[in-house]
Amino acid sequence: DTEVTQTPKHLVMGMTNKKSLKCEQHMGHRAMYWYKQKAKKPPELMFVYSYEKLSINESVPSRFSPECPNSSLLNLHLHALQPEDSALYLCASSQVLVSGGTYEQYFGPGTRLTVT
Amino acid sequence: EDQVTQSPEALRLQEGESSSLNCSYTVSGLRGLFWYRQDPGKGPEFLFTLYSAGEEKEKERLKATLTKKESFLHITAPKPEDSATYLCAVRGNQGGKLIFGQGTELSVKP
């Protein structure tokens, strides 16, 4: 099973709202990722968690706050977003990179976020 | 700086008309080259990983090949359901992030 699930599928929020995106995987992967994707563009990395610890933050604004409660779950908390934050938010997971190794990432279906 | 360039940006084929998509890359120490398929509004679907020059992998009508500078995704006798955006990504030995190309949007008409 190579499934990563994300909820909700669609989210509309105002600029003063607080909402959360959720991601779950049961492949035993210990690396999890958040990406942002704009139309006609490739995915853009936001955060990486390795063994439930934040290992990469690609200089993402603080209005995006990631959380990894356990090895299967990944959340993205949203607060005071701007209209330009509207995008498809993708979660992915993989085995943890080791020296000399590489592993493919498996993506979820995404959450389509619209900020009004 | 690691970089990936895909061509063409868009490709229109008739059903059954075979063709190839190109992914050129420059990377410090290739750890892997990945092909993904993405349908509109959905997440990328993993297709292949290639590790070293000369390697080839196949899946149904798709075949991926790798040289030291580029990868090709060959599509044999495509069907309309092969229509999607195909993304190429590489991982080098500088950090763990994937570097994506801009993608090739493939349209197959019946």
Side-chain angles (χ1 to χ4, degrees):
Chain A
D1 182 13
T2 57
E3 186 178 27
V4 176
T5 59
Q6 291 187 241
T7 56
K9 291 184 178 180
H10 303 277
L11 179 62
V12 179
M13 59 185 292
M15 289 189 285
T16 58
N17 291 158
K18 288 184 179 181
K19 297 286 184 182
S20 296
L21 309 184
K22 297 184 184 300
C23 173
E24 189 168 6
Q25 58 87 17
H26 294 287
M27 294 179 277
H29 290 166
R30 301 302 295 273
M32 296 187 77
Y33 311 78
W34 280 115
Y35 287 86
K36 172 182 178 179
Q37 188 177 27
K38 291 280 204 178
K40 304 289 187 182
K41 296 291 186 182
E44 180 183 339
L45 184 66
M46 300 174 72
F47 302 104
V48 181
Y49 274 82
S50 179
Y51 293 107
E52 296 88 67
K53 294 188 186 302
L54 184 65
S55 60
I56 295 177
N57 177 341
E58 290 285 305
S59 302
V60 178
S62 60
R63 58 185 184 269
F64 295 91
S65 176
E67 177 194 21
C68 191
N70 60 53
S71 61
S72 299
L73 294 175
L74 186 66
N75 298 322
L76 186 63
H77 303 297
L78 313 173
H79 173 57
L81 295 191
Q82 303 298 310
E84 58 265 30
D85 297 321
S86 298
L88 181 68
Y89 286 83
L90 296 162
C91 172
S93 72
S94 75
Q95 297 184 49
V96 173
L97 292 175
V98 296
S99 177
T102 191
Y103 302 107
E104 55 271 9
Q105 294 180 19
Y106 292 91
F107 286 82
T111 293
R112 172 67 60 187
L113 174 67
T114 302
V115 182
T116 61
Chain B
E1 181 183 347
D2 297 348
Q3 194 169 3
V4 178
T5 302
Q6 290 187 245
S7 61
E9 290 184 12
L11 181 61
R12 292 187 176 187
L13 299 174
Q14 289 296 125
E15 184 172 3
E17 179 187 2
S18 300
S19 188
S20 297
L21 282 55
N22 177 263
C23 172
S24 297
Y25 64 90
T26 54
V27 65
S28 301
L30 181 68
R31 292 284 186 87
L33 183 142
F34 306 87
W35 282 100
Y36 287 87
R37 170 198 169 122
Q38 186 172 25
D39 293 301
K42 297 188 177 181
E45 174 190 349
F46 170 72
L47 294 174
F48 304 110
T49 306
L50 301 168
Y51 294 101
S52 58
E55 191 174 1
E56 300 182 351
K57 289 192 176 175
E58 290 188 63
K59 180 181 179 180
E60 297 180 355
R61 295 177 292 282
L62 300 177
K63 179 180 178 180
T65 62
L66 181 66
T67 73
K68 289 187 177 180
K69 295 183 178 181
E70 58 191 351
S71 176
F72 291 94
L73 185 65
H74 307 276
I75 303 176
T76 302
K79 298 182 177 182
E81 53 262 41
D82 294 321
S83 298
T85 294
Y86 290 85
L87 293 166
C88 173
V90 299
R91 175 177 286 125
N93 58 16
Q94 300 296 323
K97 61 186 290 185
L98 288 181
I99 308 299
F100 281 91
Q102 294 296 308
T104 293
E105 186 176 355
L106 175 65
S107 175
V108 182
K109 300 298 183 185

